Amino acid sequence: MSLTAIPYNRVQTTGNILFATRGGKIHSFNLSDSKHLSSWQHPDAEKFAASSQNQEADSKKETNSPEEAEAEAEESEPPAKRQKVAEAEGDLSTATENTGALTAEAAAQINDRNGKDGKRKGKKQSKGPSHEDKSRMGKAVDRPLITLMTCTDDGKHLIAVSGHDKAVWVFEHDGQGILTQLSQRVMPKRPSAVTIGFGPQIIIADKFGDVYYIPLLITPPSPSTQALRTTPAPAPKSAEPAANTLTVHSKRNLQALEHQRKQLEAKKSEGAESKSEGPNFELTLLLGHVSMLTAVLVAEDDGKKYILTADRDEHIRVSRYVPQAHIIEAFCLGHKEYISDMVIPKGKGDILISGGGDEDLFIWDWKAGNVLSKTNLLTLAREIAPQVSKVSVSGLTSLLYPSGAGESLTYVLAICEGIKAIFTWQLTNESQLKNPSIIQLPCNPLHITTTVPSSDGSRLKLIVAMDSAQNPEARSLHAYTLTRSENRLSSDVELPIHGQRTDDMEVQVSDKEIRDMFYNIENLRKQGGGEDAGSESVPQGDAESEAIPAPKE
């Protein structure tokens, strides 16, 4: 089984600073000189490394031969025990030599000894770790992985989500790529999407269909709020059994009464544990779907604020913002397959673009819930991967490209799971995606982002996190400059990003583990539904044409 480094899987830019996640680490780079600046590591990274080493040591022990295992078992027995066994064997041989047969009394005595020793020896030879092994190994630690990341508009705070422990991390950014951890809050369910709301607040959607908001910064509660929080609730009425020892006399009924009391005590202890396991921070439930949520956005139009949510059941819901998030303004219905991502293009706040398992990208008037147009993505994907029968959109983003005279053109970019390309379109004033183009890549893209045009005239940069396990000679983190020709985007220069080193905690991962971690969009597709249910989909990571030229160096 081949092992490789975990690729970078999330990228985020703010000014000239690039943040990129790899496993349980967040790295920062300076895009001006492409140098590595700093790293933050999840606290579980070292625990996972230690746990992995213990498991490797245990697996080596389990591979010992039966003779070695028997020898180890004999050596582990106490000397006194071995002496008694030897004495028993001596008694047996002596009795046999003297009488030629074994007396019933001697046989019973030896059988009794052998029975006890056999049971003990059986326990020594039984499979599974001993109590000593369990105390040494401790609780297994999951591999830490940053699954989501975003930052505030001013770039002063970075928000990251670690999927294995459902934790939301907030960092303060000094503007030079150095992060300072401010808080860690563990959510009730695993987050599936996150965005920055107004306030500022963090809007979090989870895999069970709920949307929460938490404050960006944790502030100490005011005296009035603290008084409300510490006011004890009225004690619930005790559910003691009506019977007692004065009214119950038979042995059977006394046993039943004792059993009832034990059950009540267990329920009380479970209730106390469930209360203590609740979140100890401000957490507000805003709204809920009946399906897994895949994307969440916030928007503002005509001075009113909204929350847009998408789910696996082809629904896009437009809800009012806090504190009226329970009021639904509109539904955007039209997808026949799951929705995996949405974007409100820059400069076009009244337009929403969504994609997922359908062949098309949808362009919406999201406030009215109307489809304005569609563009076929599958046809474009087949230009470089002719064998593709389905597409799974894994990322959508947008950018403003300066066109002169102080104006900018809006472009939309999309990546699909298992296809080595970035697809781009120009969003016209007629709310249509025109002038498509393809930026071919050496590996499958996992996430993309772009820089914001600066006043110094520097060119737009496209940052791509790739699955470098497919190509050992390729790097996982790439930066390209973007150019425009005949209203089509292209990339002509690849910029180096230095400092993409790995360490031992990030290198021990198999190809299957990479697929399980980063190729799960297609798993949202429901089996047995749709016209193409019987057709074969392209294996994850294999969608490529026979000869795809790599980007220019």
Side-chain angles (χ1 to χ4, degrees), residues 7-268:
Y8 287 92
N9 63 299
R10 303 293 296 188
V11 284
Q12 178 71 43
T13 60
T14 174
N16 282 326
I17 302 300
L18 166 66
F19 294 104
T21 66
R22 183 203 287 269
K25 289 186 177 182
I26 303 176
H27 300 272
S28 64
F29 301 86
N30 189 329
L31 291 175
S32 299
D33 54 15
S34 301
K35 291 185 178 179
H36 183 270
L37 298 176
S38 67
S39 299
W40 173 86
Q41 178 176 285
H42 193 290
D44 286 348
E46 294 182 359
K47 298 178 183 178
F48 177 81
S51 176
S52 300
Q53 292 176 358
N54 290 337
Q55 290 178 359
E56 290 179 3
D58 293 335
S59 63
K60 290 179 180 179
K61 288 183 178 181
E62 291 177 358
T63 56
N64 290 345
S65 62
E67 293 79 6
E68 293 176 348
E70 183 177 357
E72 290 180 0
E74 291 179 355
E75 291 177 0
S76 63
E77 293 178 3
K81 178 180 177 180
R82 290 199 297 269
Q83 182 178 357
K84 290 182 179 180
V85 173
E87 292 175 357
E89 293 175 352
D91 295 341
L92 174 61
S93 59
T94 302
T96 306
E97 290 175 359
N98 294 338
T99 62
L102 188 64
T103 63
E105 182 178 357
Q109 184 178 6
I110 295 174
N111 286 338
D112 182 62
R113 290 178 181 176
N114 289 340
K116 291 180 181 179
D117 294 339
K119 290 180 181 179
R120 293 193 186 99
K121 188 174 294 186
K123 290 182 180 179
K124 283 286 183 180
Q125 295 175 349
S126 62
K127 296 181 180 180
S130 64
H131 293 291
E132 182 180 357
D133 293 334
K134 290 181 180 179
S135 61
R136 178 173 57 83
M137 291 173 59
K139 183 180 179 181
V141 180
D142 293 333
R143 179 186 295 277
L145 179 67
I146 306 298
T147 56
L148 301 168
M149 182 172 60
T150 187
C151 69
T152 55
D153 293 337
D154 58 11
K156 293 182 178 180
H157 294 92
L158 183 79
I159 294 86
V161 174
S162 49
H164 73 291
D165 57 358
K166 303 176 291 186
V168 178
W169 304 81
V170 178
F171 303 91
E172 184 178 21
H173 177 220
D174 67 349
Q176 305 299 320
I178 307 301
L179 296 177
T180 302
Q181 179 184 323
L182 297 181
S183 64
Q184 174 200 11
R185 283 166 279 186
V186 178
M187 299 298 295
K189 305 296 181 182
R190 181 171 297 178
S192 56
V194 64
T195 190
I196 302 297
F198 307 99
Q201 297 154 340
I202 306 175
I203 309 297
I204 304 167
D206 66 29
K207 292 190 174 183
F208 283 78
D210 292 328
V211 178
Y212 297 89
Y213 89 81
I214 60 177
L216 177 66
L217 303 177
I218 299 178
T219 56
S222 61
S224 58
T225 306
Q226 183 68 25
L228 290 175
R229 289 185 178 180
T230 57
T231 301
K237 296 181 180 179
S238 61
E240 293 293 336
N244 54 56
T245 54
L246 299 178
T247 59
V248 174
H249 303 286
S250 66
K251 182 178 180 181
R252 179 180 297 178
N253 289 342
L254 286 172
Q255 291 177 347
L257 179 62
E258 184 65 21
H259 180 66
Q260 288 182 2
R261 287 181 174 173
K262 290 182 179 179
Q263 285 183 330
L264 290 173
E265 290 176 359
K267 289 182 179 179
K268 289 179 181 178

Side-chain angles (χ1 to χ4, degrees), residues 432-478:
Q432 294 183 340
L433 294 179
K434 298 292 185 180
N435 303 318
S437 65
I438 302 174
I439 300 175
Q440 298 179 355
L441 303 172
C443 309
N444 290 339
L446 300 177
H447 195 231
I448 59 173
T449 190
T450 61
T451 59
V452 178
S454 58
S455 57
D456 60 1
S458 60
R459 300 168 67 180
L460 275 169
K461 297 182 182 69
L462 172 65
I463 314 299
V464 189
M466 301 186 194
D467 179 8
S468 56
Q470 303 173 324
N471 186 353
E473 298 180 358
R475 297 185 303 274
S476 177
L477 203 57
H478 292 247

Side-chain angles (χ1 to χ4, degrees), residues 320-345:
R320 292 186 185 180
Y321 197 72
V322 182
Q324 296 180 316
H326 59 282
I327 299 177
I328 300 174
E329 287 287 340
F331 282 99
C332 298
L333 304 177
H335 281 275
K336 295 182 180 179
E337 291 287 349
Y338 60 88
I339 303 162
S340 54
D341 204 3
M342 306 184 296
V343 63
I344 295 178

Side-chain angles (χ1 to χ4, degrees), residues 190-193 205-211 288-295 309-315 338-340 520-521 523-526:
R190 181 171 297 178
S192 56
D206 66 29
K207 292 190 174 183
F208 283 78
D210 292 328
V211 178
H289 286 225
V290 294
S291 178
M292 172 184 173
L293 288 170
T294 55
T309 48
D311 63 27
R312 185 185 181 185
D313 286 341
E314 311 96 38
H315 303 136
Y338 60 88
I339 303 162
S340 54
N520 47 34
I521 303 297
N523 295 337
L524 297 174
R525 195 181 301 275
K526 299 175 182 177

Side-chain angles (χ1 to χ4, degrees), residues 272-293:
E273 290 177 0
S274 62
K275 289 181 181 178
S276 62
E277 291 175 357
N280 57 355
F281 55 89
E282 184 179 348
L283 178 67
T284 303
L285 177 64
L286 299 180
L287 56 95
H289 286 225
V290 294
S291 178
M292 172 184 173
L293 288 170

